[in-house]
Structure formats: C-alpha cells, structure tokens
C-alpha cells in the first residue's frame, strides 16, 4: 500500500500493521455489531444513527436485517441520484446496507458491486443477499487501493466513511477514476479535517480504525481530484463530528465529496 504525502509518512511495516488493525477491528464489528465511528446516536442503535444521517424509515425497513451496522457518516445513496439500469460500485461495502439500497434504485436491469477487504464483512453481506433474494448485487474481496473491477465499467461510485481508513487516499481516488465510465460520478460521504491533526492522532491505530485519525484536509481532497482529472468537484461540509483526543475536540467534520469523470 502506498502512502499519501503528509507530515508523517508511515513506514511499510506501519502501513501493514495499520491495515491489519483495521481489518481485525471490522471483523470484530461484523461478528459483534459493535460500534465504529463516533456520532450522535447511541452505541448499539444503528437504525437511530442512520436516521440521524439522513436515511428514512423506508430505507431501514427495506434493507435486509443485519445489513445496517451503523458505521456511516452520511447517506451516499441519496447523494448519488442513481438511475435505473446503472452500475454502482460501493467502496468498503461492509454488511451491504448501502449496496442493497442502491440495488433498489437501479432496479433489476442495474447492478451493484460491493468491495470490502474483510472476509467476515463479505460473509455477512452475502448471507444478507441470499436470505433476501437480492440478485443484482455482488460482493468482492479486495482493497479499495487495488479494486477488483475492470476499467470504465461503473456509472457511479459510492462510499460511506471508508476512504479515511486508507493510508493511500490518492491511490483510492485514482482507482475510482480508472473504473468509472466516461461521465461517471463519485458520491462519497466521509470524515475530513478542517485543520491539521496532531501526529499522535494520525498515528494512533485505534483512532484510525475509528474513522478519525485518517481524516484528510478538505483542500487535499480537492487537489487530488483535480490532479487526477475529475471535474465538477464539490466538497460540502455536512456538520461537525463528535471527536476528541486527550479531552480536546478535534477539527473533524462530516462531508459530501462529489466529482465527475469527463465524458
């Protein structure tokens, strides 16, 4: 895994350790439905958290039981304005919640692909799909820095509080550009930083796996997207995020990150 330019550049061993820590943490979440990111909903109440983030009761009722783990920081499915027949890719699909909602939007002629690096999450998502007879969704094992998806085959990419977990965010966005068809769009909900984070926060594996330590500055996302060739770039802050370190609040906000690959 390559790293992004920052004040602290993780060594190869540090990157491997952090990736394994994140994978183990999400394997635990998949098995125990425990909490990841901080938020306003009570721990253990994924539906309550999702309502706070903009999902409605129909979303919660129609998604398979057990697919919503309450891990997000926004609603990228609503952001993407999906159309029937489109192909959608979810980066870090977890239990499949957003994939199943996207499948409803694109209909039987559309297709949704979820990619996740945690086998336990994939097992859970695939079981949810089988039990619900949802046939236009598939889940693939892979890292978002190296997507198991062919070039220019995807109409829309969604992701919900996942890219912050990567040490190679520019690489993730480059992969997104590669697999998007001309005119395809990026619709991401994620946590970003409004000011630089302390080194102690950015290097703490627990805070990284908690979706906070890896939050990148807004201007860096804008720069990465522009350098890669994306157009109509828009990073919009949704609201402050409840995150602190050593008793002090951290400059973390939830944001919508949107961009389009030129037609």
């Amino acid at each position: 895994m390559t790293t992004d330019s920052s004040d602290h550049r993780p060594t190869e061993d540090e990157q491997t350790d952090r990736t394994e820590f994140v994978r183990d943490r999400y394997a635990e979440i998949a098995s125990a439905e425990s909490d990841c990111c901080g938020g306003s909903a009570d721990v253990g109440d994924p539906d309550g958290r999702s309502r706070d983030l903009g999902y409605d009761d129909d979303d919660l009722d129609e998604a398979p039981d057990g697919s919503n783990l309450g891990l997000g920081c926004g609603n990228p499915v609503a952001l993407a304005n999906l159309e029937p027949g489109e192909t959608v890719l979810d980066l870090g699909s977890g239990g499949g919640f957003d994939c199943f909602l996207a499948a409803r939007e694109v209909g039987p002629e559309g297709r949704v692909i979820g990619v996740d690096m945690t086998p336990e999450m994939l097992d859970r998502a695939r079981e949810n799909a089988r039990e619900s007879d949802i046939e236009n969704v598939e889940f693939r094992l892979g890292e978002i820095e190296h997507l198991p998806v062919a070039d220019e085959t995807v109409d829309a990419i969604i992701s919900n509080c996942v890219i912050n977990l990567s040490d190679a965010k520019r690489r993730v966005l480059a992969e997104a550009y590669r697999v998007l068809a001309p005119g395809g769009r990026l619709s991401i909900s994620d946590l970003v930083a409004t000011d630089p984070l302390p080194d102690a926060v950015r290097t703490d594996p627990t805070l990284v796996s908690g979706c906070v330590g890896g939050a990148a500055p807004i201007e860096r996302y804008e720069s990465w997207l522009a350098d890669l060739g994306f157009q109509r770039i828009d990073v919009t802050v949704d609201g402050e995020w409840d995150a602190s370190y050593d008793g002090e609040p951290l400059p973390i906000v939830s944001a919508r990150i949107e961009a389009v690959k030129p037609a």
Side-chain angles (χ1 to χ4, degrees):
M1 183 188 295
T2 57
T3 185
D4 300 322
S5 175
S6 65
D7 294 336
H8 175 80
R9 295 170 181 258
T11 66
E12 185 175 344
D13 287 342
E14 286 176 331
Q15 293 172 43
T16 300
D17 290 345
R18 285 170 63 165
T19 298
E20 290 301 320
F21 191 96
V22 169
R23 183 181 285 112
D24 291 345
R25 176 66 178 129
Y26 282 84
E28 176 188 349
I29 292 170
S31 302
E33 299 185 36
S34 56
D35 181 63
C36 158
C37 308
S40 57
D42 293 335
V43 173
D45 180 19
D47 285 356
R49 179 192 294 279
S50 296
R51 289 188 182 92
D52 287 347
L53 296 175
Y55 295 92
D56 60 30
D57 288 340
D58 286 342
D59 295 331
L60 301 175
D61 291 341
E62 293 183 22
D65 291 340
S67 64
N68 181 21
L69 300 177
L71 303 181
C73 57
N75 184 350
V77 178
L79 181 64
N81 294 313
L82 301 175
E83 298 289 342
E86 289 190 314
T87 297
V88 181
L89 172 63
D90 184 7
L91 307 182
S93 49
F97 180 57
D98 285 324
C99 287
F100 297 127
L101 297 183
R104 176 188 63 184
E105 300 298 316
V106 301
E109 296 183 357
R111 181 185 182 202
V112 180
I113 303 167
V115 172
D116 204 284
M117 71 172 184
T118 307
E120 290 83 356
M121 282 291 187
L122 288 174
D123 290 343
R124 186 179 188 125
R126 288 166 176 164
E127 181 180 358
N128 288 332
R130 285 193 300 270
E131 291 183 352
S132 302
D133 294 324
I134 298 175
E135 298 181 352
N136 61 339
V137 177
E138 64 172 300
F139 296 97
R140 301 178 183 177
L141 179 65
E143 296 182 345
I144 59 175
E145 300 89 349
H146 308 281
L147 289 170
V149 180
D151 294 357
E152 299 190 347
T153 55
V154 174
D155 298 304
I157 291 178
I158 61 174
S159 185
N160 201 345
C161 213
V162 171
I163 296 178
N164 69 77
L165 297 170
S166 174
D167 274 333
K169 297 174 183 62
R170 189 185 189 282
R171 171 70 183 178
V172 174
L173 298 174
E175 279 289 272
Y177 191 91
R178 176 183 66 81
V179 304
L180 278 173
R185 61 202 184 277
L186 199 64
S187 300
I188 294 170
S189 296
D190 217 323
L191 298 184
V192 299
T194 56
D195 285 308
L197 297 175
D199 284 350
V201 172
R202 292 190 290 108
T203 58
D204 187 322
T206 299
L207 293 176
V208 171
S209 69
C211 311
V212 173
I218 293 173
E219 59 269 19
R220 187 163 293 174
Y221 269 107
E222 293 171 335
S223 176
W224 286 329
L225 292 166
D227 289 347
L228 289 167
F230 281 100
Q231 298 177 347
R232 292 161 53 187
I233 298 165
D234 185 22
V235 181
T236 302
V237 173
D238 276 335
E240 295 183 3
W241 199 255
D242 183 12
S244 62
Y245 177 73
D246 200 22
E248 296 294 327
L250 291 172
I252 302 292
V253 296
S254 59
R256 291 171 280 149
I257 302 168
E258 300 176 270
V260 175
K261 182 174 180 176

